[in-house]
Amino acid sequence: MAAVVVDEGVHADVRTFLSQDRMMLIDGKWVPAASGACFEVVNPATGDVLARVAEGDKEDIDRAVAAATRAFESGPWSKMTPSERGKCLWRLADLLEEHLDEFAQLETLDNGKPLGVAMVADVPLAVDHFRYYAGWATKLNGESIDISVPFAPGAEFHTYTRREPIGVVGQIIPWNFPLLMAAWKLGPALATGCTVVLKPAEQTPLTALRLGELFSAAGFPDGVVNIVPGFGETAGAALSGHPEVAKVAFTGSTEVGKLIVKAAANDLKKITLELGGKSPNVVFADSDLSSAVPGAASAIFFNHGQACCAGSRLYIEQKIFDQVIDGVVENAKGIKVGSGMDPESTMGPLVSQEQFDRVTGYMESGMSQGAEAACGGKRVGNRGYFVEPTVLVNTKPDMTVVQEEIFGPVVTAMPFSDIDEIAAVANDTIYGLAAGIWTQDISKAHKLASRIKAGTVWVNCYNIFDAAMPFGGYKQSGWGREMGAQALENYLQTKAVCVQL
Ligand code: NAI
Ligand code: MG
């Protein structure tokens, strides 16, 4: 039994869920790891053990891939109509929505984020995502093509394309939006008819495992979705190198993204990668500061800065620099840091000791290289992984804190004077995930949007996501796009069928 202590006020179903060791989902059954091992999942608000989870490794990945292969090749899933697949996804969305409170609490306990955020963002966005891809299942059509064939005069052909699911896919996800990242990955894979082995992050496996309990009731046959929790170096590496896996979808660090590419090279698996970022957020003097200032603050402080697209480099036109900094600092000071389960909290803890050490390490390195904290710069309390929302000024382009992804509530602020300068500076990192532009000059906004090398550019807003809007990175922020119609391409391959009549 797991040594779990959770506060009063926690949903009875969440208590029950946490009171037992959680197993892995293989071929529709909840099974222990082949080794029998479990690992501990920690509540980041307290540092206490929250749950114990079966620790998957190579042998478990082998079993899960075998189940997914059977389900893809010969199980009932392989014969389901597109409409039936769509209905399964829609029912999954309904079931998730029915359990919204429970999923939100579980996410908050596991990841640390404020419960109010999990309630209005993480869980509803996941629901919406499944519904969006439910609709796509019936719209994956090929085309018929009139061919000419100059060397076969007089011959007649009927030529068409089929868009076929790619097969068994391995999906490896991070801990910052655990349920939502599972939805981003599963939605398009299941709409297209693929089968899946999903490996949640070791820090936050709980909502994916709870989601796993809904697949059967939603109508998915056994083996279509398999969920193997475990560590990256073991379970993750086994999945990304598995010869029967046709495609790997990964979200996480750029460093591990490169390892995935190497692991997949052996058998030339298809890969999509959604990696790190160091996104510029540009505030022009002609912007509406009543939205630009809180927008700049939430661009970095949302999800405690643990977002790949966080607006972590704030560039402010020189003549309003002090005014914007004062405003962002005021916003930062208004943030109430505390347990995500406390309704007063607007920022929870970082996800783990490792992230805490990393983020506080960056704060120290910034200050030792000459940056100055206009606010924040320290941990909060002495229990759990809480840090202060931090605004660093006096930063220089070559400082580590300006170049590297911090993945915490730390923004570096710098002044700029014109659009040519800012276009160059905005692109001056290895990343290209997202960017923000704040201005009331519509032509300036579009001109800069086209010059920034990033997969998403938000104008007069930030962190707006929708299942229909593609998301992904330029440069070392990744390969391919998730969400929208484009994500379906990751899970489909085109077959041309040419029939001589
Ligand atoms: P990570 O990239 O190590 O972990 C992400 C996922 O990859 C987890 O499921 C992990 O188990 C898996 N993984 C790790 N090593 C693997 C391997 N060799 N083969 C296959 N899978 C593997 O990220 P980590 O260590 O949790 O965070 C480090 C930094 O990465 C963060 O500070 C942040 O900068 C960045 N990051 C970016 C994310 C994004 O959304 N793009 C999400 C999480 C982290
Ligand atoms: Mg790692």
Side-chain angles (χ1 to χ4, degrees):
M1 287 287 278
V4 176
V5 186
V6 286
D7 304 334
E8 296 298 328
V10 170
H11 202 291
D13 293 342
V14 173
R15 286 168 172 278
T16 310
F17 186 84
L18 295 174
S19 69
Q20 294 157 17
D21 289 357
R22 303 318 314 182
M23 299 294 106
M24 51 187 73
L25 179 63
I26 298 180
D27 210 9
K29 285 157 209 72
W30 292 97
V31 296
S35 68
C38 279
F39 64 100
E40 291 177 340
V41 176
V42 167
N43 177 347
T46 60
D48 295 338
V49 175
L50 180 64
R52 283 165 43 89
V53 171
E55 184 184 331
D57 201 340
K58 185 175 180 314
E59 211 177 321
D60 307 294
I61 293 291
D62 286 346
R63 289 191 292 165
V65 172
T69 305
R70 278 195 303 278
F72 183 76
E73 298 294 345
S74 55
W77 180 248
S78 63
K79 295 172 194 71
M80 273 193 173
T81 63
S83 166
E84 286 167 332
R85 287 203 308 271
K87 272 189 220 156
C88 291
L89 274 166
W90 195 277
R91 279 194 295 257
L92 181 67
D94 285 348
L95 288 169
L96 182 55
E97 196 167 46
E98 279 167 32
H99 295 277
L100 191 149
D101 290 5
E102 187 195 334
F103 272 90
Q105 285 198 358
L106 199 54
E107 199 73 308
T108 289
L109 289 167
D110 200 6
N111 164 280
K113 65 182 66 201
L115 182 57
V117 173
M119 293 281 293
V120 301
D122 295 71
V123 186
L125 282 169
V127 169
D128 200 49
H129 202 80
F130 287 129
R131 293 214 173 107
Y132 174 81
Y133 284 102
W136 267 114
T138 47
K139 294 160 195 75
L140 305 170
N141 301 317
E143 54 186 352
S144 77
I145 305 168
D146 276 339
I147 60 171
S148 304
V149 203
F151 58 79
E156 283 184 71
F157 297 92
H158 171 46
T159 301
Y160 61 94
T161 57
R162 291 171 48 78
R163 297 174 83 204
E164 298 181 345
I166 198 162
V168 175
V169 303
Q171 305 190 314
I172 301 174
I173 56 172
W175 42 260
N176 50 346
F177 297 90
L179 176 70
L180 186 59
M181 290 303 103
W184 280 27
K185 295 281 181 285
L186 291 166
L190 297 173
T192 54
C194 292
T195 60
V196 176
V197 178
L198 175 77
K199 194 204 79 67
E202 55 269 35
Q203 297 83 353
T204 58
L206 299 179
T207 46
L209 292 171
R210 179 69 185 94
L211 185 71
E213 297 183 338
L214 305 182
F215 285 100
S216 168
F220 290 95
D222 291 349
V224 173
V225 177
N226 306 275
I227 305 178
V228 181
F231 292 86
E233 298 73 9
T234 51
L239 184 56
S240 57
H242 199 294
E244 302 295 317
V245 170
K247 184 231 154 37
V248 171
F250 172 76
T251 298
S253 60
T254 293
E255 181 194 355
V256 173
K258 292 176 185 178
L259 296 177
I260 303 278
V261 171
K262 289 186 185 131
N266 250 350
D267 37 29
L268 296 179
K269 282 183 211 333
K270 312 291 184 276
I271 318 175
T272 42
L273 303 170
E274 205 266 88
L275 308 174
K278 190 73 182 174
S279 300
N281 196 11
V282 180
V283 182
F284 285 100
D286 61 10
S287 64
D288 172 3
L289 291 186
S290 71
S291 59
V293 167
S298 94
I300 181 65
F301 299 135
F302 173 67
N303 215 44
H304 328 160
Q306 299 172 136
C308 46
C309 53
S312 52
R313 290 184 294 143
L314 178 58
Y315 294 105
I316 306 165
E317 198 168 337
Q318 181 75 65
K319 57 187 158 201
I320 56 162
F321 186 82
D322 291 342
Q323 192 185 348
V324 171
I325 290 298
D326 289 349
V328 173
V329 166
E330 198 186 311
N331 268 267
K333 288 185 172 160
I335 290 172
K336 170 113 181 21
V337 179
S339 163
M341 294 299 282
D342 178 348
E344 303 280 295
S345 304
T346 50
M347 185 184 284
L350 298 176
V351 75
S352 64
Q353 181 72 47
E354 187 186 353
Q355 284 305 117
F356 176 85
D357 293 342
R358 202 184 183 99
V359 171
T360 50
Y362 275 116
M363 288 170 166
E364 281 153 24
S365 110
M367 290 184 277
S368 75
Q369 289 182 351
E372 187 189 313
C375 66
K378 296 189 297 294
R379 81 175 295 178
V380 176
N382 51 20
R383 183 162 181 253
Y385 313 129
F386 299 95
V387 296
E388 292 175 328
T390 298
V391 178
L392 295 179
V393 292
N394 285 339
T395 51
K396 303 278 172 302
D398 56 353
M399 284 180 180
T400 316
V401 284
V402 177
Q403 289 297 327
E404 294 183 9
E405 181 174 55
I406 298 176
F407 229 64
V410 182
V411 66
T412 61
M414 275 161 287
F416 71 93
S417 47
D418 70 67
I419 188 165
D420 290 323
E421 176 200 353
I422 194 57
V425 168
N427 290 328
D428 182 26
T429 76
I430 61 167
Y431 297 112
L433 195 58
I437 301 172
W438 301 83
T439 174
Q440 298 194 72
D441 177 339
I442 192 167
S443 101
K444 196 193 277 178
H446 289 297
K447 278 185 186 161
L448 185 57
S450 78
R451 290 174 72 177
I452 290 183
K453 296 188 172 80
T456 301
V457 178
W458 285 294
V459 178
N460 295 334
C461 60
Y462 207 95
N463 280 333
I464 298 297
F465 289 96
D466 189 272
M469 195 168 104
F471 182 82
Y474 282 36
K475 301 194 278 183
Q476 293 193 35
S477 290
W479 287 354
R481 294 292 175 270
E482 303 201 273
M483 300 209 280
Q486 269 193 294
L488 296 159
E489 302 304 327
N490 305 334
Y491 297 96
L492 290 166
Q493 49 197 347
T494 299
K495 176 182 284 170
V497 181
C498 177
V499 184
Q500 183 156 9
L501 302 177

